[in-house]
Each structure stands twice: as structure tokens, then as C-alpha cells.
Amino acid sequence: ISEFSTFQCKFWNNPNGWQEIVDYLNSIGYKVVVISKEKTKLKNIIDRTNRTINETMNNIKNSEFFMGVSSGPAWLAWALKVPVIMISGYSSAIGEFSTNIQRVINEDVCHGCFNRTDLPFERGDWMWCPVHKGTSRQFECTKRISVDMVKDAIHNIIDE
């Protein structure tokens, strides 16, 4: 898995989501390997953060599936033909690859702002959320993606 990206809007902003998924995957017999440049605070994982691109590619290629947000490692997994579970609300499906993927999105809340031409992207704004910035609804596109939604995607992958 890789929990990080280049903007907060790309993160899975569910406060306990990643650790709950790690715990769940461990409970069903998986060893969870974390790959990213950034250090993780997740527990009960195999830490492969801050490795070379070749080591990262090897870790991804030898995985049953990759799980992350809309970021480089997800695209790398896809290019390596590894099934991808992508947790994303900031982008529309048209902005992501469409094969070998289980995309987890909550379309019952604000979502897809990145692909809206009426909402200019502010590259220098880490907290970019053009519709709900500064309100309790900021990043609801990913805050409201539940652990159960991600578990469903996991089972769609492992049951194939």
C-alpha cells in the first residue's frame, strides 16, 4: 500500500481508515507492505518506505494487489499489471486508468473537483478543496469513503 500523495485532496482523509485496513488485511492472512517515499506511522506492516525505484517496483510486482490513492505508485502498479485498489474522490473516473482497477469513491458526497473546468486547480495550495475549503465538509470526498467500502474492493480483487 501507499497512503501518500502530492496534495491533501488526494489522501484518504478517513482518520483511521488506513490502520483499520492494515489490521483487517492482517486478520485475513495478508502481510501488508508499505511503499512510499514518506515514512509511515502505520503499525503491523512491513516497512519498505524510502527505497529505490527498483526495490519499489519489485515490491509492487510481487504483490497480489496494490492499494493506494491517485498517485504515481498506483499508476506504476497498473503499468506493472498488478491489480489496483484506488481510493479517490477528488478526481473523476475519466481522469484515472480504467482497466485492472477497483476504484473506491463515494459519489453521494462532493467529488470529482479536479476534473471540473469551472474550478481552477491551485497547484501551490496543499489544502486545495475548491468547493468546501475551510468548512466541516472539506475533503468529504475521501473522508466519507468508509473502511467497509474499501473492504468490498479488496474482496472484489481477491475473489476474482
Side-chain angles (χ1 to χ4, degrees):
I1 68 172
S2 182
E3 65 203 283
F4 296 101
S5 191
T6 51
F7 290 94
Q8 192 67 45
C9 61
K10 291 183 172 188
F11 281 50
W12 183 21
N13 289 291
N14 178 319
N16 300 312
W18 282 114
Q19 189 61 59
E20 287 183 37
I21 287 299
V22 166
D23 295 343
Y24 176 70
L25 286 168
N26 283 323
S27 78
I28 61 171
Y30 282 88
K31 293 180 180 161
V32 179
V33 177
V34 175
I35 55 116
S36 67
K37 182 179 178 185
E38 300 83 0
K39 291 300 283 175
T40 185
K41 293 180 182 177
L42 296 173
K43 303 202 178 340
N44 303 314
I45 52 94
I46 298 169
D47 187 346
R48 295 287 185 258
T49 58
N50 201 26
R51 302 296 171 112
T52 68
I53 188 66
N54 287 338
E55 289 174 295
T56 298
M57 289 171 58
N58 188 51
N59 282 312
I60 292 171
K61 186 64 180 165
N62 289 296
S63 298
E64 188 168 330
F65 60 88
F66 170 84
M67 182 184 316
V69 297
S70 178
S71 64
W75 285 84
L76 181 57
W78 176 75
L80 292 170
K81 300 188 182 341
V82 172
V84 173
I85 298 169
M86 182 185 292
I87 303 166
S88 180
Y90 93 109
S91 63
S92 299
I94 195 167
E96 311 291 356
F97 50 90
S98 59
T99 58
N100 209 22
I101 183 173
Q102 288 290 314
R103 191 161 185 273
V104 186
I105 186 168
N106 184 344
E107 293 181 339
D108 292 333
V109 296
C110 185
H111 65 281
C113 58
F114 184 73
N115 300 103
R116 287 182 48 186
T117 58
D118 62 321
L119 300 172
F121 183 63
E122 296 175 27
R123 190 172 294 278
D125 183 0
W126 175 263
M127 300 299 283
W128 183 75
C129 179
V131 178
H132 299 296
K133 186 173 184 172
T135 73
S136 62
R137 292 182 64 189
Q138 186 169 3
F139 305 128
E140 74 178 1
C141 59
T142 58
K143 280 181 188 173
R144 303 258 322 261
I145 294 174
S146 71
V147 169
D148 285 339
M149 293 168 77
V150 177
K151 285 180 183 178
D152 288 345
I154 291 168
H155 285 282
N156 287 340
I157 292 279
I158 63 178
D159 294 342
E160 286 184 348

